[in-house]
Amino acid sequence: MGPRKLRLLWQFLLFLVLALKILSAADFDPYRILGLSRTASQVDIKKAYKKLAREWHPDKNKNPGAEDKFIQISKAYEILSSEEKRSNYDRYGDAGENQGYSQQQQHHHFRHFHDSFYFDESFFHFPFNSERRDSTDEKYLLQFSHYINEVVPDSFRKPYLIKITSDWCFSCIHIEPVWKEVVQELEGIGVGIGVVHAGYERRLAHHLGAHSTPSILGVINGKISFFHNAVLRENLRHFVESLLPGNLVDKITDKNYIRFLSNWQQENKPHVLLFDQMPPVPLIYKLTAFAYKDYLSFGYVDLGQREAEQMSSQYNINMYSPTMLVFKEHIHKPADVVQARGMKKQVIDDFISTNKFLMASRLTNQKLFQELCPVRKSHRQRKYCVTLLTGEGDKFQKAYESFLAFASANTKDTLRFVHVFKDRQRELTSALLTEEDKHPDKSSVAILERRNSAGRIVYKTLLKIWSGSEENKFALLDFLDRLRKDPSVLSSEIILSDLNDELAPVFFLRWFYTAVDYWADVWESVLHNNWREMMPLLSLIFSALFILFGTVIVQAFSDSSDERDSVPSEKDEPSDKEKSTDTNYTKENTRVPKKGFVEVTELTHVNYMSNLVRLRPGHMNVVLILSGSTKASLLQRFAQEVYTFTGSSSLHFSFLNLDKHREWLEYLLEFAQDAAPIAYQYDEHFLERDYTGYVLALNGHKKYFCLFKAQSTLEEEKLSEESELSPLSGDTLRKISLGSGAGHIKKKLNKLSLWMERLLEGSLQRFYIPSWPVLD
């Protein structure tokens, strides 16, 4: 055959493939399959899909072509239920759904050909119906809502193994045989299986953190872990086993089996022992222990070891087939036994489900109370809880053992026997017992029935104290017989609050466990997660650290420079008398404000540069003018007025002693003549002018200040009105300046809070100065 004939044959094959695909695409019409018109609404599409899906489901329809028809119906609904895919189909005759995970509109005209024509080591394959290749994954396909609402909650009872796949994925084809084998094995022992099509469920794939196909991941307790090894059967088994907690099953020998079984009272759980000759704990047993970890404790005995001979002999164990024993209140005699070659999951589940609780469990939390005493759903589903209200210690042991013996002899389906420690469940005890029945050293029995989930119960407390005598047993048996015939004998009714959770860890332990889980998740993410997903978090962390350290360094240099500039010389150091005065004020008066602490520092030549001249831009120092005699009263009122503004980091609060720095204040007030007229400097009453109660808001950077003038009393206001008609005399000035006690002084700061609000709004008049004067 010459080269020309080969080329012609090759072209013919390509033409044949394309023709078949075009015919196949033309034959697939989602509207025709669902029996709808092109103007059908989403409601009509959904109704048609439900009707046809019920009719052609392979489990109900045994027609040989039912499976293919069902796939076509699902495919048609998938296209028409999505507005984007439906729009693409209406425009181009194709839904645009086989674009691949990372490609969207590339190779649009040849997409169907690529889906069916691929290469691997066996040369050419021509699967003209690509849907049939993944037909085994159809029942495991997950959607986002299904994953969130069903898979995640169910992952607290069993692990899930999830595969991420797509249409345009060569590697997905290679792992299919191993995946099918593993799925068939693991699903049979209790592992959940899921498949996510990245092309159809981009949102779910992104949520899982899968950025490439194929990917395999595990979900347990709501946490996601990725599989990173070669896709082999043993590797996948080990991966599922590694997802499970390591403390699910205890290794039991002749040395520790008594201690293990004796923990039933402390843990309030039955204990299960599996006897087998396999040295490692079987995976099916670990999965069972995980599913029922809240109800039972599990142990494993390796019959191949000599350290198990005593147990094997004591419990008469068959050495050649797996045996499972469940122990409840009696550790020397199992409550139930199951033995079978090749222990199946269904057998184990049935055995465990019928032995989830002790014969007379202790009510330790609300969840256990709801399971042991369920709400009545119908007349035939009544559940009565026979409750022993007792205490802890040896003196109550006889009453408890007699109650346990009575429970073992009356194992009816409508009765549940429980006991409560009165000291640990005080609210329940107070509800069921009257004041006459509350004997601290005696036990009582009450029979109750839950009527709804809101806590409503009907109950009856037996009159006689429960001592465990035969008379008590006959009285209880007689009451239960009457209750079976007439439920109205439960004559009392009450609303119960939730029970106290006795087994809950203390707050510190809960916080510690939460922190450990969080850091374990972070470590797992750093080691294994896709770095593309981690980059935003890492960028945020490094940005925060850079800003934090940058701020600290700038602040450190700024503070050090201010300290160097503000260090006083030896000549300028305050006298010992001034130091003692300031110290005494700090001790006595900093606690004066009743509403809270306000830090008010004295403005002196020591801190003048840092607190005013070199104050940072945008910051202001609010300075109160006072004298030695008015210091305590004015500071107290000042703190009350400005306390609500201390939350602003741009405001600083100081006071200035008028007796020491009158000249500095007079110099500033010369620039505010309109607000506070200043008398001639050499006026005979110059030193009598009273500026106490004035408040200055000083902006050191922009060299301006705002002025609050002390409020006048009624007498001063009258004198001010008189001054408009005649000039102020010396006597008048003297009257204005002299106060009448601490109350008069405090009134000077009335309306200061309103002035502070205007200051923050920026609506106050500003008085600018050329430079700040020296504070001597």
Side-chain angles (χ1 to χ4, degrees):
M1 184 180 294
R4 184 178 180 181
K5 293 183 178 180
L6 284 175
R7 186 164 59 252
L8 290 174
L9 179 60
W10 173 248
Q11 292 175 354
F12 174 75
L13 288 174
L14 288 178
F15 174 77
L16 181 62
V17 170
L18 288 173
L20 288 173
K21 290 301 292 182
I22 292 172
L23 290 174
S24 176
D27 185 58
F28 181 79
D29 183 358
Y31 292 102
R32 179 181 56 79
I33 292 174
L34 295 181
L36 299 169
S37 65
R38 289 184 175 268
T39 59
S41 64
Q42 288 294 329
V43 177
D44 296 334
I45 293 172
K46 193 171 185 179
K47 288 182 179 179
Y49 168 72
K50 287 185 176 181
K51 178 181 178 181
L52 294 173
R54 284 194 296 266
E55 179 182 353
W56 290 97
H57 197 284
D59 294 341
K60 298 181 179 180
N61 195 323
K62 302 305 180 182
N63 192 311
E67 183 178 356
D68 292 339
K69 182 67 175 178
F70 182 76
I71 292 174
Q72 288 184 352
I73 293 169
S74 301
K75 188 73 172 178
Y77 176 71
E78 191 172 21
I79 294 173
L80 298 183
S81 61
S82 171
E83 294 295 339
E84 181 183 356
K85 295 178 181 179
R86 183 179 180 181
S87 176
N88 289 337
Y89 181 83
D90 291 341
R91 291 181 182 179
Y92 312 114
D94 184 90
E97 59 196 2
N98 296 322
Q99 302 167 57
Y101 183 35
S102 60
Q103 304 171 358
Q104 292 193 3
Q105 295 297 334
Q106 301 175 5
H107 312 294
H108 174 78
H109 299 289
F110 299 98
R111 180 163 52 248
H112 292 289
F113 173 71
H114 289 156
D115 286 342
S116 297
F117 186 73
Y118 59 92
F119 298 93
D120 67 2
E121 61 274 11
S122 60
F123 195 60
F124 290 106
H125 289 263
F126 296 93
F128 298 109
N129 186 1
S130 62
E131 309 297 336
R132 299 299 297 271
R133 187 173 69 239
D134 297 328
S135 60
T136 56
D137 291 339
E138 286 290 334
K139 66 177 182 178
Y140 303 116
L141 286 176
L142 298 179
Q143 296 178 346
F144 184 81
S145 59
H146 178 230
Y147 172 81
I148 296 297
N149 298 326
E150 297 185 26
V151 173
V152 172
D154 200 36
S155 68
F156 288 85
R157 293 181 291 272
K158 66 179 180 180
Y160 271 79
L161 191 66
I162 298 176
K163 179 182 73 170
I164 313 296
T165 185
S166 64
D167 286 339
W168 187 246
C169 175
F170 297 143
S171 301
C172 300
I173 303 167
H174 298 155
I175 69 172
E176 273 189 17
V178 179
W179 174 257
K180 291 178 181 178
E181 182 183 0
V182 171
V183 166
Q184 185 177 2
E185 177 188 357
L186 296 182
E187 188 180 23
I189 60 176
V191 178
I193 304 296
V195 175
V196 177
H197 196 293
Y200 304 149
E201 289 293 334
R202 289 185 175 87
R203 182 184 179 189
L204 178 54
H206 179 73
H207 176 79
L208 296 173
H211 299 286
S212 61
T213 55
S215 295
I216 296 178
L217 55 91
V219 181
I220 189 169
N221 291 333
K223 300 177 182 177
I224 300 170
S225 300
F226 277 83
F227 175 73
H228 298 282
N229 297 325
V231 183
L232 301 174
R233 176 176 171 273
E234 288 301 320
N235 290 346
L236 289 171
R237 279 181 57 90
H238 290 317
F239 172 67
V240 171
E241 195 165 357
S242 67
L243 296 175
L244 299 170
N247 58 348
L248 287 173
V249 181
D250 295 330
K251 295 291 184 67
I252 305 300
T253 63
D254 291 339
K255 297 180 180 179
N256 64 351
Y257 81 100
I258 296 295
R259 183 172 66 254
F260 172 76
L261 298 178
S262 299
N263 285 336
W264 69 267
Q265 193 166 10
Q266 180 180 357
E267 298 177 1
N268 197 34
K269 297 178 181 179
H271 284 58
V272 182
L273 286 179
L274 175 65
F275 294 81
D276 203 350
Q277 289 193 344
M278 300 175 61
V281 181
L283 179 57
I284 186 175
Y285 194 56
K286 289 184 177 181
L287 293 170
T288 303
F290 180 74
Y292 296 95
K293 61 183 181 297
D294 295 332
Y295 302 98
L296 302 100
S297 295
F298 293 83
Y300 180 74
V301 182
D302 181 10
L303 294 175
Q305 296 182 352
R306 289 187 176 181
E307 297 178 343
E309 293 179 355
Q310 180 179 342
M311 282 186 291
S312 304
S313 175
Q314 179 177 350
Y315 300 123
N316 194 22
I317 302 299
N318 187 346
M319 301 292 291
Y320 301 102
S321 61
T323 305
M324 190 176 292
L325 309 180
V326 60
F327 295 83
K328 296 186 178 181
E329 284 85 353
H330 302 292
I331 65 173
H332 298 293
K333 181 181 179 182
D336 203 354
V337 181
V338 64
Q339 183 175 348
R341 293 184 180 273
M343 196 82 71
K344 300 296 182 182
K345 180 180 183 301
Q346 188 62 44
V347 175
I348 297 178
D349 287 343
D350 293 342
F351 177 75
I352 296 297
S353 299
T354 56
N355 294 282
K356 286 172 59 176
F357 304 106
L358 298 170
M359 292 297 300
S361 298
R362 178 163 58 93
L363 296 182
T364 56
N365 52 54
Q366 184 67 18
K367 179 184 176 183
L368 185 60
F369 180 42
Q370 292 173 351
E371 293 195 49
L372 287 172
C373 307
V375 176
R376 184 192 68 175
K377 296 181 180 179
S378 66
H379 180 75
R380 296 184 177 182
Q381 294 180 338
R382 291 180 180 272
K383 296 288 184 183
Y384 300 107
C385 269
V386 184
T387 308
L388 174 67
L389 305 169
T390 184
E392 300 179 71
D394 296 336
K395 59 183 177 181
F396 297 98
Q397 191 64 28
K398 180 181 178 182
Y400 169 73
E401 290 179 353
S402 63
F403 182 78
L404 180 61
F406 184 88
S408 302
N410 294 271
T411 56
K412 295 181 180 179
D413 187 52
T414 56
L415 297 178
R416 295 287 177 85
F417 291 87
V418 297
H419 70 283
V420 174
F421 288 156
K422 293 188 288 186
D423 292 338
R424 300 193 184 186
Q425 301 292 345
R426 296 181 183 274
E427 294 186 7
L428 177 63
T429 303
S430 300
L432 297 181
L433 297 180
T434 61
E435 292 297 331
E436 299 177 354
D437 298 331
K438 292 180 181 178
H439 302 285
D441 298 331
K442 302 295 182 180
S443 301
S444 302
V445 172
I447 297 89
L448 61 90
E449 180 188 12
R450 294 180 64 231
R451 288 297 175 87
N452 58 33
S453 57
R456 177 172 170 261
I457 67 167
V458 292
Y459 70 96
K460 178 68 176 178
T461 303
L462 299 186
L463 296 177
K464 292 186 178 181
I465 298 299
W466 180 269
S467 61
S469 64
E470 294 297 324
E471 183 182 358
N472 290 145
K473 294 181 181 180
F474 281 121
L476 177 57
L477 189 62
D478 178 64
F479 181 84
L480 294 177
D481 187 57
R482 287 189 288 118
L483 177 63
R484 181 177 59 84
K485 299 176 182 178
D486 182 14
S488 63
V489 297
L490 299 179
S491 54
S492 302
E493 182 176 334
I494 198 172
I495 303 296
L496 284 179
S497 58
D498 289 349
L499 269 62
N500 178 38
D501 192 352
E502 301 177 13
L503 303 180
V506 295
F507 172 77
F508 174 77
L509 289 179
R510 292 201 301 270
W511 178 87
F512 177 75
Y513 294 150
T514 303
V516 169
D517 292 341
Y518 174 78
W519 286 111
D521 293 342
V522 171
W523 181 252
E524 177 71 16
S525 299
V526 171
L527 285 181
H528 299 299
N529 272 16
N530 194 302
W531 281 99
R532 179 168 54 184
E533 189 177 280
M534 293 293 296
M535 283 305 296
L537 178 61
L538 295 176
S539 176
L540 178 63
I541 293 174
F542 281 114
S543 299
L545 291 176
F546 178 78
I547 294 172
L548 177 63
F549 284 109
T551 305
V552 171
I553 292 173
V554 171
Q555 184 66 31
F557 278 106
S558 176
D559 293 345
S560 62
S561 63
D562 290 344
E563 290 175 1
R564 286 196 300 270
D565 294 336
S566 62
V567 172
S569 60
E570 295 180 358
K571 296 180 181 180
D572 296 337
E573 288 184 357
S575 63
D576 295 340
K577 185 177 181 180
E578 291 178 348
K579 289 182 179 179
S580 62
T581 303
D582 295 343
T583 304
N584 291 337
Y585 168 72
T586 302
K587 293 180 180 178
E588 296 175 2
N589 297 320
T590 54
R591 301 185 184 90
V592 171
K594 297 180 180 179
K595 293 184 179 180
F597 176 75
V598 180
E599 184 179 359
V600 185
T601 59
E602 183 177 2
L603 190 64
T604 64
H605 69 282
V606 177
N607 57 16
Y608 183 65
M609 296 295 291
S610 60
N611 285 4
L612 177 59
V613 179
R614 295 189 178 181
L615 203 61
R616 283 178 289 181
H619 288 239
M620 299 188 74
N621 196 343
V622 182
V623 181
L624 169 68
I625 309 301
L626 50 77
S627 62
S629 60
T630 61
K631 187 175 184 180
S633 300
L634 283 178
L635 277 176
Q636 180 180 4
R637 183 56 184 271
F638 181 70
Q640 293 174 353
E641 292 289 330
V642 303
Y643 174 72
T644 56
F645 304 95
T646 55
S648 174
S649 60
S650 61
L651 292 181
H652 309 272
F653 301 96
S654 304
F655 68 89
L656 184 77
N657 195 323
L658 185 63
D659 300 335
K660 300 178 183 178
H661 307 291
R662 175 180 286 270
E663 293 184 5
W664 181 88
L665 177 63
E666 295 283 1
Y667 175 79
L668 254 64
L669 294 181
E670 288 180 1
F671 296 92
Q673 290 293 336
D674 294 336
I678 305 301
Y680 184 65
Q681 183 175 359
Y682 298 103
D683 187 350
E684 60 177 334
H685 304 294
F686 166 67
L687 295 178
E688 296 180 359
R689 290 190 60 82
D690 185 12
Y691 296 113
T692 58
Y694 279 35
V695 179
L696 304 176
L698 309 173
N699 190 316
H701 180 70
K702 292 187 176 181
K703 296 184 179 64
Y704 72 81
F705 66 91
C706 300
L707 176 64
F708 172 80
K709 189 178 178 181
Q711 300 296 306
S712 302
T713 61
L714 294 176
E715 182 182 354
E716 292 170 346
E717 290 177 358
K718 291 179 180 180
L719 293 173
S720 299
E721 292 177 358
E722 294 175 0
S723 67
E724 294 179 359
L725 301 176
S726 61
L728 288 175
S729 64
D731 294 337
T732 305
L733 288 173
R734 190 175 296 106
K735 289 179 181 179
I736 295 176
S737 63
L738 295 177
S740 59
H744 164 79
I745 295 173
K746 291 182 179 180
K747 290 181 180 179
K748 292 185 175 186
L749 296 180
N750 287 347
K751 300 183 181 180
L752 177 60
S753 59
L754 300 177
W755 182 83
M756 290 291 298
E757 291 180 0
R758 294 184 59 193
L759 174 65
L760 294 180
E761 293 172 357
S763 60
L764 292 176
Q765 183 179 2
R766 299 179 179 180
F767 304 102
Y768 288 87
I769 63 173
S771 62
W772 294 109
V774 178
L775 187 69
D776 295 331

